[in-house]
Amino acid sequence: MDFQLYDSLSRSARPLAAADDKELRFYCCGPTVYGPAHIGNFRTFILQDVLRRSLEALGHKVRHVRNLTDVDDKTIRQSREEKRSLAEFTAHWTKRFHEDCAALNLLPPHVEPAATAHIPQQIDLIGKLIDKGHAYRANDGSVYFRVSSFSDYGKLSRLKDREILTGRPGSADDAAGPVDADEYELDSAADFALWKSRKPDDGEVFWPSPWGEGRPGWHIECSAMSMAYLGETFDLHGGGVDLVFPHHENEIAQSEACTCQPFARHWFHSAHLMVEGRKMSKSLGNLHTLDDIRARGVSPAALRYALLSGHYRQPLNFTWETIHSAESALEKLRKFRRQLADSAGDTTAPENGGWGSFSPVAAALADDLNTSAALGAVFRGIREVDATSPETAAAAIASLDRALGALGLALAEEKPSAAIPADITRLAEERWAAKQAKNFAEADRLRDQLKAQGWTTLDRKDGYDLEPLA
Ligand code: AMP
Ligand code: ZN
């Protein structure tokens, strides 16, 4: 099935495909690890995850790279305030990010490069830009990209010259403009730092370079790491819309100026999670973390569901009502799946089955990643499911799991939250052993006994899950 995705560079929906027909190379700007990611950040990361999962479910092979920004003004400032080394500080927040990602069922990227582990690659890129006349060294040892040397500058954000100096018009977060107050040695105020010379506020955070001690600017890390792992030209680049300018505009400029090749072939930008009309952000102090959500008794799966309930190109308003209706929608799906499991009994579906009555879910995802339409199609699909025989019920479970799997709503892998009484576990163990010994009559008898006590088992290839009956 063809996959159409809106491309923010050409501003049109275009077929998304691997240039080499083998592997779709996908780079995402990752988190800045200086505190817990908020659920707005996770809207972006979950959408990227669903894009990858959908492509994979439709037969594409994806190579996913997402970086860690582990050195910048914020990480340095915060680690110094806490009197911890930068490495120790960012390791702490990276671990927390990974825990949250796992709870939200995000697939780990194939490569997760950290900026501090790729300083030589960044220095190399800056050196080439200087050699080609696209960058210059200021008196203090900082190096800047000369925006006027790259005629395509502005092609992604389509900002006019004046707007490039002040940042995106109308965005409160960018009101301060892209230029650091201390970058007074610029040839033009639009120029941006590739290398920042060492300052007292940087403490022990610096690296040697041909231009003196210092550290890379923010934008250069993504050019260096995407090209290191995906090549000079790759298929898809993702991030939240706030990254269009200046970050992605600058990534394009420094990469294409260096290689004279197109950088990313397709750009995927997702709109923000909003709170009362404003972007959820640390600077506005209107954020929720995954922990805040869990403290209110909401499961990470319900948060994922809620964050997928709107189209990615539209801002999504955060409300508790959306989260609670996501929880009840998921509960309906769990119940439906349990009923199917009951009808299927010990029958398992053949592997590599199709999407069955859930094929409209695949169609919605392949049509510009329409997750809200896909969720609607899941519910229409369950009304059409044929569960009249164990075989059709088993096939329906497999196709439902396929559809939910593309959305990362892995009901099949959920563990029951209720504590399981010891006699129930024993019965389930005996039933599993009977089934393994092909003593199906005994296995069925034990299954009925479990059912009478309010429990059911969902069999996998290598084991089973116990679930309370609804
Ligand atoms: P950061 O850790 O600030 O570099 O952001 C990580 C990712 O989250 C980037 O792709 C941002 O564009 C994205 N992001 C930041 N705030 C929001 C928000 N309120 N809604 C959706 N995505 C966001
Ligand atoms: Zn980036």
Side-chain angles (χ1 to χ4, degrees):
M1 188 183 288
D2 270 0
F3 204 105
Q4 292 283 325
L5 187 74
Y6 185 84
D7 164 30
S8 17
L9 181 61
S10 64
R11 303 213 175 168
S12 60
R14 289 177 43 225
L16 176 63
D20 66 1
D21 267 342
K22 289 190 193 120
E23 194 175 49
L24 196 135
R25 289 168 292 162
F26 182 20
Y27 183 86
C28 300
C29 293
T32 309
V33 278
Y34 73 116
H38 58 72
I39 61 171
N41 301 133
F42 280 118
R43 178 182 195 208
T44 293
F45 297 134
I46 287 171
L47 284 163
Q48 293 162 349
D49 181 70
V50 173
L51 178 53
R52 170 179 161 189
R53 286 173 180 273
S54 305
L55 286 162
E56 288 175 345
L58 291 167
H60 299 260
K61 191 159 188 276
V62 180
R63 179 166 167 81
H64 181 203
V65 177
R66 187 184 62 217
N67 72 304
L68 292 166
T69 297
D70 61 349
V71 56
D72 76 334
D73 294 345
K74 292 176 285 198
T75 44
I76 294 175
R77 194 184 316 122
Q78 196 65 30
S79 63
R80 291 197 62 176
E81 266 171 32
E82 295 182 18
K83 301 200 180 353
R84 295 160 93 182
S85 73
L86 182 71
E88 186 201 345
F89 173 78
T90 56
H92 170 81
W93 290 113
T94 301
K95 180 167 175 284
R96 167 72 182 274
F97 176 67
H98 287 158
E99 287 163 1
D100 286 356
C101 286
L104 287 164
N105 198 30
L106 284 152
L107 292 169
H110 300 105
V111 190
E112 196 178 41
T116 56
H118 295 78
I119 302 292
Q121 290 85 340
Q122 296 176 70
I123 290 179
D124 184 55
L125 196 51
I126 298 169
K128 286 184 180 144
L129 287 168
I130 294 178
D131 292 346
K132 291 186 164 202
H134 290 291
Y136 58 93
R137 181 185 185 278
N139 287 338
D140 71 343
S142 294
V143 179
Y144 296 100
F145 184 87
R146 183 177 282 113
V147 165
S148 62
S149 75
F150 184 68
S151 58
D152 270 351
Y153 195 82
K155 70 176 171 181
L156 177 69
S157 57
R158 303 198 190 174
L159 293 185
K160 299 190 182 65
D161 289 353
R162 195 186 58 75
E163 293 164 346
I164 284 169
L165 297 179
T166 54
R168 175 187 286 272
S171 159
D173 278 2
D174 289 337
V179 180
D180 279 4
D182 59 356
E183 289 177 357
Y184 51 83
E185 288 190 272
L186 304 182
D187 283 0
S188 154
D191 294 353
F192 58 90
L194 299 170
W195 185 260
K196 293 182 160 189
S197 67
R198 186 179 172 190
K199 305 236 166 21
D201 278 353
D202 292 341
E204 291 311 301
V205 180
F206 65 89
W207 288 266
S209 84
W211 319 287
E213 290 172 344
R215 60 184 165 99
W218 169 35
H219 313 295
I220 197 75
E221 71 179 67
C222 286
S223 289
M225 296 191 287
S226 57
M227 292 200 280
Y229 292 99
L230 298 173
E232 290 181 352
T233 301
F234 54 92
D235 299 304
L236 179 63
H237 192 317
V241 279
D242 55 316
L243 300 188
V244 169
F245 188 86
H247 185 52
H248 289 162
E249 195 70 66
N250 292 353
E251 278 188 40
I252 293 176
Q254 62 209 359
S255 309
E256 296 191 355
C258 181
T259 65
C260 300
Q261 300 296 323
F263 180 51
R265 297 171 56 241
H266 209 124
W267 287 85
F268 172 60
H269 286 108
S270 40
H272 284 146
L273 184 66
M274 314 291 285
V275 186
E276 288 163 6
R278 307 187 79 188
K279 171 188 162 189
M280 180 175 287
S281 74
K282 194 161 182 161
S283 54
L284 293 174
N286 59 357
L287 58 81
H288 292 287
T289 63
L290 179 60
D291 273 1
D292 300 336
I293 300 287
R294 282 200 279 217
R296 302 271 291 250
V298 176
S299 69
L303 174 64
R304 177 185 256 269
Y305 190 111
L307 292 174
L308 294 175
S309 63
H311 195 280
Y312 79 87
R313 284 204 275 138
Q314 300 297 327
L316 181 74
N317 206 30
F318 171 81
T319 64
W320 289 105
E321 207 185 320
T322 318
I323 304 252
H324 291 310
S325 40
E327 194 80 88
S328 48
L330 270 178
E331 205 36 60
K332 274 187 210 139
L333 290 175
R334 286 189 189 103
K335 192 168 168 204
F336 177 74
R337 196 178 180 286
R338 280 198 294 269
Q339 284 163 354
L340 281 181
D342 270 353
S343 311
D346 287 334
T347 307
T348 47
E351 275 178 35
N352 302 324
W355 292 75
S357 54
F358 299 99
S359 46
V361 178
L365 292 170
D367 180 13
D368 200 18
L369 200 73
N370 194 338
T371 53
S372 53
L375 289 169
V378 168
F379 280 91
R380 276 197 306 284
I382 66 178
R383 283 199 294 272
E384 284 165 24
V385 154
D386 166 17
T388 46
S389 72
E391 287 71 28
T392 55
I397 295 183
S399 50
L400 174 65
D401 285 349
R402 181 177 291 252
L404 293 176
L407 293 158
L409 296 167
L411 298 189
E413 289 151 31
E414 282 185 351
K415 295 276 167 282
S417 48
I420 305 173
D423 56 328
I424 298 295
T425 312
R426 201 174 49 249
L427 272 179
E429 287 293 354
E430 285 174 15
R431 186 196 145 268
W432 180 250
K435 191 180 166 192
Q436 294 309 98
K438 303 210 183 308
N439 187 350
F440 295 120
E442 175 67 355
D444 283 349
R445 192 187 66 76
L446 290 164
R447 163 184 278 277
D448 289 342
Q449 232 177 300
L450 277 168
K451 209 165 145 188
Q453 298 194 48
W455 291 83
T456 186
T457 54
L458 293 179
D459 288 353
R460 290 179 272 106
K461 250 199 338 232
D462 52 351
Y464 62 89
D465 294 320
L466 251 177
E467 284 192 4
L469 286 169

